[in-house]
Amino acid sequence: MPKVAVYNMQGQQVEEMELNDAIFDTAENISLVHSVVVMQLANRRAGTQSTKTRAEVRGGGRKPWKQKGTGRASFGSSRNPVWRSGGIAHGPKPRSYQYAMPKKARRIALKSVLSAKLRGGNIVVVDKLEFAAPKTKNMVAVLSALNVTRQPLVVLDELNDNTIKSMRNIEGLESILAANLNVYDALRAHKLIITKNAIAKIEEVLA
């Protein structure tokens, strides 16, 4: 089983814990990770883009000129798609881009990302993240002690108001519950800061 150091909020190693090798020591599956990321980004699309067809554009009720004898092409409406200010032919309409992948595939992809993060030394485990009061400087001090500066993602086992409020004003810092951890958010973060209890939650969900 892979082992990882556990640090306190002052950046001191307090213990070493074993991780589930079925989650944190799996082979990379780049193609599956890519498929899951594409799915997640597609599911985030609003799908609200819309254009008007010739039937929806205002005006154009009268035939522009007579059918024959003018030497010009015949038109039945000035809202024909080839006209300026006409309707749009085959334009986008509101639609849903959402689709789903099997839960098993999503879990395998997440395991692949977590294993790659661990092998790259980009997972930092802390025994806890709790503050007596919501102060940004306290979280900044923790990040400095852990030597984490670049786009971290904090994974918590449960919501804590003081912790959340201490993090929300720090640029580039994001947080997520262990139960909601996903491939896209884990992949785009440079380092994962995970509490000890959150590790247990992740192993419970993915086991």
Side-chain angles (χ1 to χ4, degrees), residues 44-184:
R44 294 185 183 192
R45 295 184 65 175
T48 55
Q49 69 275 41
S50 182
T51 54
K52 290 184 178 181
T53 66
R54 61 183 294 172
E56 297 168 320
V57 178
R58 185 177 179 182
R62 181 174 65 88
K63 188 174 175 66
W65 50 75
K66 64 180 184 178
Q67 180 76 1
K68 294 179 178 294
T70 65
R72 292 182 288 186
S74 57
F75 283 99
S77 170
S78 61
R79 293 301 176 257
N80 188 299
V82 303
W83 279 53
R84 181 176 179 274
S85 300
I88 302 297
H90 312 297
K93 284 292 185 181
R95 53 163 287 195
S96 173
Y97 289 90
Q98 292 194 350
Y99 66 97
M101 289 180 64
K103 184 184 292 185
K104 184 176 180 179
R106 300 199 305 270
R107 287 181 174 178
I108 292 173
L110 182 54
K111 291 176 184 179
S112 176
V113 172
L114 291 174
S115 297
K117 290 287 186 184
L118 183 64
R119 283 191 288 268
N122 291 319
I123 289 183
V124 179
V125 180
V126 293
D127 56 354
K128 62 179 180 179
L129 271 178
E130 297 175 359
F131 302 106
K135 292 186 178 181
T136 303
K137 67 178 183 180
N138 291 341
M139 189 63 204
V140 171
V142 171
L143 294 176
S144 178
L146 297 174
N147 196 26
V148 176
T149 56
R150 179 182 164 194
Q151 198 173 359
L153 175 67
V154 177
V155 184
L156 304 169
D157 61 303
E158 60 182 12
L159 289 175
N160 183 302
D161 281 346
N162 288 345
T163 303
I164 298 298
K165 290 177 180 178
S166 297
M167 291 190 293
R168 64 186 179 186
N169 287 332
I170 302 176
E171 185 178 1
L173 176 64
E174 297 182 4
S175 63
I176 194 170
L177 289 176
N180 299 331
L181 186 61
N182 58 81
V183 172
Y184 178 68

Side-chain angles (χ1 to χ4, degrees), residues 17 24 35 38 59 61 102 107 126 142 145-146 180 188 191 200:
M17 69 179 297
F24 292 94
S35 297
V38 170
R107 287 181 174 178
V126 293
V142 171
L146 297 174
N180 299 331
R188 67 191 293 264
K191 281 188 181 290

Side-chain angles (χ1 to χ4, degrees), residues 1-4 17-22 24-25 118 203:
M1 287 187 173
K3 294 184 178 180
V4 64
M17 69 179 297
E18 290 187 344
L19 300 176
N20 190 333
D21 53 5
F24 292 94
D25 193 20
L118 183 64
E203 293 183 340

